[in-house]
Amino acid sequence: MSEDGKLKYYRLKEDLKEQILSGKIKAGDKLPSENELARTYCLSRHTVRKALAILADAGYVEAVHGSGTYCLKRFGKKRESKIIAVVTTYLSNYIFPKLIQGIDKVLSENGYSIILKNTGNSRKKEAEYLEDLLTKDIDGMIIEPSKSELYCKHVYLYERMEENQIPYVFIQGLYEQMEEKPHILMDDCQGGYLVTNHLIRLGHRHIVGIFKADDRQGRERHRGYVKALQEAGFLYEPDQVIWFHTEDRREKPSAALKQLRKQGREIDGIVCYNDEIAIQVMESLKQEGLSVPEDLSVTGYDDSLYARESEVGITTIAHPQEKLGEMAAQLLLEQLRHVPPEASRVQRLIEAKLIVRDSCRDRKKQLV
Amino acid sequence: MSEDGKLKYYRLKEDLKEQILSGKIKAGDKLPSENELARTYCLSRHTVRKALAILADAGYVEAVHGSGTYCLKRFGKKRESKIIAVVTTYLSNYIFPKLIQGIDKVLSENGYSIILKNTGNSRKKEAEYLEDLLTKDIDGMIIEPSKSELYCKHVYLYERMEENQIPYVFIQGLYEQMEEKPHILMDDCQGGYLVTNHLIRLGHRHIVGIFKADDRQGRERHRGYVKALQEAGFLYEPDQVIWFHTEDRREKPSAALKQLRKQGREIDGIVCYNDEIAIQVMESLKQEGLSVPEDLSVTGYDDSLYARESEVGITTIAHPQEKLGEMAAQLLLEQLRHVPPEASRVQRLIEAKLIVRDSCRDRKKQLV
DNA sequence: TCCGATTTGTTCGTATGTATG
DNA sequence: GCATACATACGAACAAATCGG
């Protein structure tokens, strides 16, 4: 019934819609007047009006009393919903509050609401939510991709977003195939470089790295770690690096470290993926009777509460998550305003900053 | 123009809408036929159809070909939007992530999306957001009231929510005038009782309390503190309690405590509003050359990272925020399912649990 | 500033098609 | 099959807003 091509108003409606979608009628164009359409299509004006009413209701055109009927810019979207979707991986993550705070600050100031989606770092969930969001009436999206180091199988969903004129901004991570899309990232490579370089300058020579294998941050921090080593003229030994995954994050790092030490490997410094891992490692070293920083230096990442409040303050990397949130929101707003004919290709890296605390020792000086 | 009462179809539409909203026409009722309406209102059938088309579009009625036009159940809401609004006070708060995680878990499992609103504990913002949400197409709301200890001047907005068939659940706090509304709260009184009683049982006699004056939690924890003192037969001295506000939370507690000690007041235990205050107090005591728990015992509240990771583990109160979130979401879902003829009046208190760490000393034993 | 042609908005009458009970 | 009710369609008239002259 709803596809009944016999109905006159339906055929006219479809014909006009096709002309709009194909570009024959462009945004802002004035449509033929009702009487003119009635003449050319051999219909009564009433029937023409019915077809136009449906198109107006669906947001394709707008009738202006006394002037004419005009084709709208963003077909199919009646009005701005003033809703932005924010898709994140973890809510439990200790950096999430800062991030969402930054996003909320900018967006709420501009009258937008946030719809929150949490993937739990699952690709399947991400795809599911993107599909759901496509059915909803959102104006834009800020997305932290799940397992961003893996090839993305649902690029088509992002393409559908673009077809629906829904701009989006990547944060924290980015799929390889989409590196030109607007995004805001932390300079994790630089952060990894900073901590490693810090240890090297304090006279460390045998620096183990512990990194997360299944996200961009892990890979980037590792890249910085390698860069610092090579710059200092040290040989990069893959054996010296421990890789862990989301699933084994609670045991793998300390277990693998014990293993390394059992193999008789000399270690004087450990660059950890983040503060949580640093805490875990320090706990494990303590149990083995080693003290930080006297016997071994340890660095963290994130400048979280762990780093500030733990027994031995952790030397770590601060990265302004709140600012990242703000910048991502700002970038999205720009995209919304310019109704981009050619999508603006803005990408930004946010600088990391070294925070020196008590978990690293200057090995060039003797212990007192 | 949109309020033009001169237009016939507009008047008929408004008249029918009024009859539906007032209950004269009930859900499921069959409306008079188009011809009948045309006769009784002295209109052409076309005009009647226009009015009915608008009502159908707005979701009040549904026309069934060959049968008649019927009044729908949830007037004005076309379909379930599957969106729930979550209104919180602070995003920066260290308990927010747990809370939202619990809410998200239950709601996303049931196919709902969350729209997030953050009031910054401002009444004005809360009212503003409620108005905004009323225009949006949400199915329900979970709300943490702002400055819940003050009288609520915008109850009318909550009444409008009910008129629009949008159920809501209060969490964390509750306005005095709305104590029968569905809510889920932490038993803060019990928590305050537990820590105070713990100190008393360890032989403390001069227990100072530090509480937040501008939220329900502060008042309730204070109530528990008083209850424990009275139960133990101690005199409750108001001078022994320090009240602070959101604005002076960073200085007031430690400053007022110094003042008390300067006045020569004997103190052997301090019950703090939360872990953050406990950390602040412990820092301040340290500067004065006092050690915790040897010289003074201190308790916190929240079982946050501060309590777990600080130098001296803080004896504190755990309250499962994630569970609170889950229960609130569950309660809201119940409300949504039952489409309550009489709003179900469910209220629940979640039990507090004492976590003993190292910040309290047993004063009945001598120090070694 | 006003006029008048054009265009959309409202309202009526009438006829026919089609689904329901 | 028939009455009833909604759906589509045509024609006509007037009202109200727009816009160029």
Side-chain angles (χ1 to χ4, degrees):
Chain A
M1 176 164 110
S2 60
E3 294 178 25
D4 203 331
K6 284 177 297 187
L7 293 125
K8 297 189 182 177
Y9 77 89
Y10 185 87
R11 287 211 307 262
L12 173 57
K13 184 202 76 177
E14 284 302 306
D15 195 40
L16 289 173
K17 190 156 125 188
E18 197 276 326
Q19 287 185 50
I20 289 170
L21 290 174
S22 74
K24 214 176 286 178
I25 299 176
K26 282 181 280 289
D29 282 4
K30 185 171 174 173
L31 272 67
S33 79
E34 293 174 353
N35 283 317
E36 208 172 320
L37 284 170
R39 266 199 310 280
T40 56
Y41 283 85
C42 289
L43 298 169
S44 75
R45 193 178 146 225
H46 189 317
T47 306
V48 172
R49 280 181 62 73
K50 171 130 192 172
L52 289 175
I54 292 170
L55 287 174
D57 203 55
Y60 288 92
V61 302
E62 179 191 31
V64 180
H65 195 165
S67 171
T69 303
Y70 301 86
C71 179
L72 288 177
K73 268 151 290 255
R74 303 179 72 202
F75 338 117
K77 300 202 81 185
K78 247 171 277 189
R79 59 189 178 289
E80 290 190 6
S81 67
K82 287 283 183 177
I83 294 178
I84 304 289
V86 175
V87 184
T88 65
T89 56
Y90 296 113
L91 299 180
S92 52
N93 201 315
Y94 47 81
I95 56 181
F96 165 73
K98 294 232 150 215
L99 181 69
I100 194 74
Q101 217 180 326
I103 295 174
D104 178 73
K105 183 172 170 250
V106 173
L107 291 186
S108 67
E109 268 172 14
N110 286 274
Y112 285 89
S113 296
I114 291 171
I115 205 166
L116 198 63
K117 287 287 179 183
N118 169 229
T119 63
N121 207 18
S122 146
R123 276 294 175 77
K124 208 175 129 225
K125 279 262 170 182
E126 178 177 313
E128 201 176 290
Y129 285 152
L130 287 181
E131 276 197 57
D132 179 51
L133 289 171
L134 278 163
T135 72
K136 291 211 159 65
D137 193 22
I138 62 168
D139 286 348
M141 177 173 71
I142 293 174
I143 180 162
E144 176 185 9
S146 299
K147 306 234 167 119
S148 51
E149 84 303 346
L150 299 172
Y151 187 85
C152 177
K153 280 177 293 186
H154 51 261
V155 190
Y156 71 96
L157 287 170
Y158 288 97
E159 282 164 7
R160 284 249 298 274
M161 285 275 169
E162 286 170 38
E163 282 165 25
N164 288 19
Q165 310 263 329
I166 302 174
Y168 52 88
V169 170
F170 282 106
I171 53 171
Q172 309 283 18
L174 188 60
Y175 295 118
E176 267 180 42
Q177 317 111 60
M178 310 185 79
E179 279 175 356
E180 297 131 49
K181 303 295 176 190
H183 60 258
I184 302 219
L185 304 177
M186 289 296 171
D187 196 338
D188 285 293
C189 176
Q190 187 214 6
Y193 175 86
L194 283 177
V195 277
T196 313
N197 189 250
H198 178 65
L199 287 179
I200 292 170
R201 289 219 315 249
L202 289 181
H204 297 75
R205 292 290 170 269
H206 308 283
I207 306 172
V208 164
I210 305 181
F211 299 102
K212 191 148 181 268
D214 56 6
D215 67 8
R216 204 198 65 97
Q217 282 106 311
R219 283 211 331 251
E220 287 295 301
R221 289 171 199 180
H222 172 257
R223 217 156 61 82
Y225 160 84
V226 174
K227 193 179 153 206
L229 288 181
Q230 292 181 336
E231 217 179 270
F234 295 169
L235 185 69
Y236 165 59
E237 298 174 59
D239 287 0
Q240 223 168 2
V241 169
I242 296 168
W243 291 99
F244 68 95
H245 293 77
T246 308
E247 295 72 24
D248 58 16
R249 69 183 184 283
R250 300 218 187 278
E251 316 83 31
K252 179 81 181 283
S254 47
L257 184 63
K258 259 185 208 161
Q259 185 90 21
L260 273 186
R261 292 190 4 93
K262 213 176 273 176
Q263 289 166 8
R265 181 176 284 274
E266 200 178 344
I267 304 173
D268 55 14
I270 305 174
V271 169
C272 297
Y273 169 73
N274 66 10
D275 295 336
E276 238 172 323
I277 298 297
I279 288 277
Q280 185 195 131
V281 162
M282 283 162 73
E283 194 64 36
S284 154
L285 290 174
K286 199 174 172 183
Q287 280 171 18
E288 292 189 65
L290 294 169
S291 54
V292 173
E294 289 76 10
D295 300 314
L296 267 161
S297 294
V298 172
T299 66
Y301 209 111
D302 289 348
D303 191 29
S304 65
L305 263 180
Y306 295 106
R308 281 197 290 279
E309 301 293 339
S310 72
E311 261 183 83
V312 178
I314 302 173
T315 292
T316 188
I317 295 290
H319 42 156
Q321 289 292 340
E322 192 171 342
K323 197 177 167 201
L324 184 139
E326 283 176 32
M327 284 173 69
Q330 216 88 55
L331 180 53
L332 188 65
L333 288 183
E334 280 171 33
Q335 311 251 104
L336 282 169
R337 288 203 237 286
H338 295 330
V339 190
E342 192 85 11
S344 60
R345 309 196 165 187
V346 192
Q347 305 129 33
R348 280 175 207 144
L349 277 184
I350 298 184
E351 260 191 41
K353 200 183 149 196
L354 182 71
I355 306 283
V356 177
R357 291 209 178 85
D358 317 314
S359 66
C360 301
R361 182 191 132 207
D362 190 339
R363 295 190 86 84
K364 288 171 298 183
K365 293 182 190 159
Q366 288 296 327
L367 275 179
V368 206
Chain B
M1 179 165 108
S2 62
E3 293 179 25
D4 204 331
K6 284 176 295 186
L7 292 116
K8 297 190 182 176
Y9 76 88
Y10 185 86
R11 287 212 306 261
L12 173 57
K13 185 203 75 179
E14 285 301 305
D15 195 41
L16 289 172
K17 191 156 125 189
E18 198 276 325
Q19 287 186 50
I20 289 170
L21 290 174
S22 73
K24 217 176 285 179
I25 299 175
K26 281 181 281 287
D29 281 4
K30 184 172 174 176
L31 272 68
S33 80
E34 293 174 351
N35 281 317
E36 208 172 321
L37 284 170
R39 266 200 311 281
T40 57
Y41 283 85
C42 290
L43 298 170
S44 77
R45 203 183 135 221
H46 189 2
T47 306
V48 172
R49 280 181 61 71
K50 171 130 192 173
L52 289 175
I54 294 171
L55 287 174
D57 204 55
Y60 288 91
V61 302
E62 180 192 31
V64 180
H65 198 161
S67 171
T69 304
Y70 301 87
C71 180
L72 288 176
K73 268 151 291 259
R74 301 182 71 205
F75 339 116
K77 301 199 83 183
K78 248 170 275 189
R79 59 188 179 287
E80 289 189 6
S81 67
K82 286 283 183 179
I83 295 178
I84 304 289
V86 175
V87 184
T88 64
T89 55
Y90 295 112
L91 299 180
S92 52
N93 202 317
Y94 48 80
I95 56 180
F96 166 74
K98 294 234 152 212
L99 181 69
I100 194 75
Q101 217 179 324
I103 294 174
D104 179 73
K105 183 172 171 249
V106 173
L107 292 186
S108 67
E109 269 172 12
N110 286 274
Y112 285 89
S113 297
I114 290 171
I115 204 166
L116 197 64
K117 287 287 179 183
N118 168 230
T119 63
N121 207 18
S122 145
R123 277 293 175 77
K124 209 174 129 222
K125 279 261 172 185
E126 179 176 312
E128 201 176 290
Y129 285 151
L130 287 181
E131 276 197 57
D132 179 51
L133 289 171
L134 278 163
T135 71
K136 292 210 161 64
D137 194 20
I138 63 168
D139 286 348
M141 176 173 72
I142 293 175
I143 180 162
E144 176 186 8
S146 300
K147 305 235 167 117
S148 51
E149 84 301 347
L150 298 173
Y151 186 85
C152 178
K153 281 178 292 186
H154 51 261
V155 190
Y156 72 97
L157 287 170
Y158 289 96
E159 282 164 7
R160 285 249 297 273
M161 285 275 168
E162 287 170 37
E163 283 164 25
N164 287 21
Q165 310 262 330
I166 302 173
Y168 52 88
V169 170
F170 282 105
I171 53 172
Q172 309 284 19
L174 188 59
Y175 295 117
E176 267 180 45
Q177 318 112 63
M178 310 185 79
E179 280 176 354
E180 296 131 48
K181 302 296 174 190
H183 61 258
I184 302 219
L185 304 177
M186 289 295 171
D187 196 339
D188 284 294
C189 177
Q190 187 214 5
Y193 176 85
L194 282 177
V195 276
T196 312
N197 188 250
H198 179 65
L199 287 179
I200 292 170
R201 290 220 314 250
L202 290 180
H204 297 75
R205 291 292 169 268
H206 308 283
I207 305 172
V208 163
I210 305 181
F211 299 102
K212 191 148 181 269
D214 56 5
D215 67 9
R216 203 198 65 99
Q217 282 106 311
R219 283 212 329 248
E220 286 294 301
R221 289 170 198 180
H222 172 256
R223 216 155 61 82
Y225 160 84
V226 173
K227 192 178 152 206
L229 288 181
Q230 291 181 337
E231 217 177 88
F234 296 169
L235 186 69
Y236 164 60
E237 298 174 60
D239 287 0
Q240 225 169 0
V241 170
I242 296 168
W243 292 99
F244 68 95
H245 293 77
T246 308
E247 294 71 25
D248 58 15
R249 69 184 184 283
R250 300 218 186 279
E251 316 84 29
K252 178 81 181 284
S254 47
L257 184 63
K258 261 184 207 163
Q259 185 90 23
L260 274 186
R261 293 191 0 92
K262 212 177 275 178
Q263 289 166 7
R265 181 176 285 274
E266 201 177 345
I267 303 173
D268 55 15
I270 305 174
V271 169
C272 296
Y273 169 74
N274 67 9
D275 295 338
E276 239 173 323
I277 298 296
I279 288 278
Q280 185 194 130
V281 162
M282 283 161 74
E283 194 63 36
S284 154
L285 290 173
K286 199 172 171 185
Q287 280 172 18
E288 291 189 65
L290 295 169
S291 54
V292 173
E294 289 77 10
D295 299 315
L296 267 162
S297 295
V298 172
T299 66
Y301 209 110
D302 290 346
D303 190 29
S304 66
L305 265 180
Y306 294 107
R308 280 197 289 280
E309 301 293 340
S310 71
E311 261 183 82
V312 178
I314 302 174
T315 291
T316 189
I317 295 291
H319 42 155
Q321 290 290 340
E322 193 171 342
K323 198 177 167 204
L324 183 139
E326 284 176 32
M327 284 173 69
Q330 216 87 54
L331 179 53
L332 188 65
L333 288 182
E334 281 171 33
Q335 311 252 102
L336 282 169
R337 288 203 238 284
H338 296 328
V339 191
E342 192 87 11
S344 60
R345 309 196 165 188
V346 194
Q347 305 128 33
R348 278 175 208 146
L349 277 184
I350 299 184
E351 261 190 40
K353 199 182 149 198
L354 183 71
I355 306 284
V356 177
R357 292 210 177 83
D358 317 313
S359 66
C360 300
R361 182 191 134 208
D362 190 340
R363 296 189 86 83
K364 287 171 297 184
K365 292 181 194 161
Q366 287 298 326
L367 276 178
V368 207

